[in-house]
């Protein structure tokens, strides 16, 4: 039975898209890592709790197939602020978040980082 569960998870990982804009924060990448950890021995991995494993798989399938989005359709594709899905994706992109972090830094800190020979993490030590 472990072999069929492993194959189902692998199929789900293949179908799950990877968002390049969310480096190190992507659900598809995280899912691949967790499946690799959980099934270290591949098809021969012993499963201690098959019911929990099946429940996890079914939950992930519901997320992947937009089960709840289809079950409870929204009247509009915007939030109460008027922000669209595409705007949210743009805002949550890793590059934009880095730019926002840089904007939060003070002028003195930015200048110090720019002209300092050592990394800012070394300053804290």
């Amino acid at each position: 039975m472990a072999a069929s569960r492993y194959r189902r998870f692998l199929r789900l990982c293949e179908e799950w898209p990877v968002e390049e804009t969310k480096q190190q924060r992507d659900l598809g990448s995280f899912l691949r890592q967790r499946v690799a950890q959980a099934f270290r021995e591949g098809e021969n991995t012993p499963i201690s709790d098959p019911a929990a494993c099946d429940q996890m798989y079914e939950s992930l399938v519901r997320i992947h197939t937009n089960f709840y989005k289809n079950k409870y359709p929204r009247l509009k594709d915007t939030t109460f602020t008027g922000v669209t899905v595409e705007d949210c994706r743009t805002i949550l992109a890793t590059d934009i978040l880095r730019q926002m972090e840089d904007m939060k830094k003070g002028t003195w800190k930015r200048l110090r980082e720019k002209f300092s020979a050592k990394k800012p993490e070394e300053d804290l030590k």
Side-chain angles (χ1 to χ4, degrees):
M1 264 331 250
S4 65
R5 285 185 178 92
Y6 176 65
R7 281 188 231 115
R8 288 190 318 174
F9 273 100
L10 282 182
R11 195 174 327 113
L12 181 63
C13 287
E14 288 173 3
E15 293 174 3
W16 204 292
V18 175
E19 287 190 49
E20 298 299 327
T21 59
K22 294 183 181 178
Q23 301 158 349
Q24 299 176 353
R25 298 178 300 118
D26 180 45
L27 186 58
S29 300
F30 179 75
L31 176 64
R32 286 168 179 77
Q33 290 172 355
R34 290 296 305 257
V35 168
Q37 288 174 354
F39 293 97
R40 286 190 180 117
E41 299 173 24
E43 294 181 351
N44 299 326
T45 304
I47 297 175
S48 59
D49 191 1
C53 182
D54 291 340
Q55 183 180 11
M56 179 67 67
Y57 174 77
E58 294 301 325
S59 297
L60 289 169
V61 167
R62 283 193 298 271
I63 292 170
H64 177 62
T65 60
N66 291 325
F67 176 80
Y68 293 105
K69 180 183 177 186
N70 297 332
K71 185 175 180 179
Y72 304 105
R74 297 176 57 125
L75 299 177
K76 298 180 181 179
D77 286 336
T78 61
T79 62
F80 72 96
T81 60
V83 178
T84 64
V85 174
E86 286 303 316
D87 292 340
C88 287
R89 282 195 180 120
T90 303
I91 292 168
L92 293 175
T94 303
D95 298 336
I96 300 297
L97 291 177
R98 282 191 191 130
Q99 289 176 3
M100 289 174 67
E101 285 296 319
D102 287 342
M103 288 172 51
K104 286 181 185 177
K105 293 179 183 176
T107 306
W108 178 250
K109 190 170 187 176
R110 273 186 279 175
L111 285 172
R112 195 175 80 197
E113 286 178 359
K114 186 175 182 177
F115 295 110
S116 177
K118 56 185 176 180
K119 294 185 174 88
E121 293 87 30
E122 293 174 5
D123 263 353
L124 300 174
K125 293 180 183 176

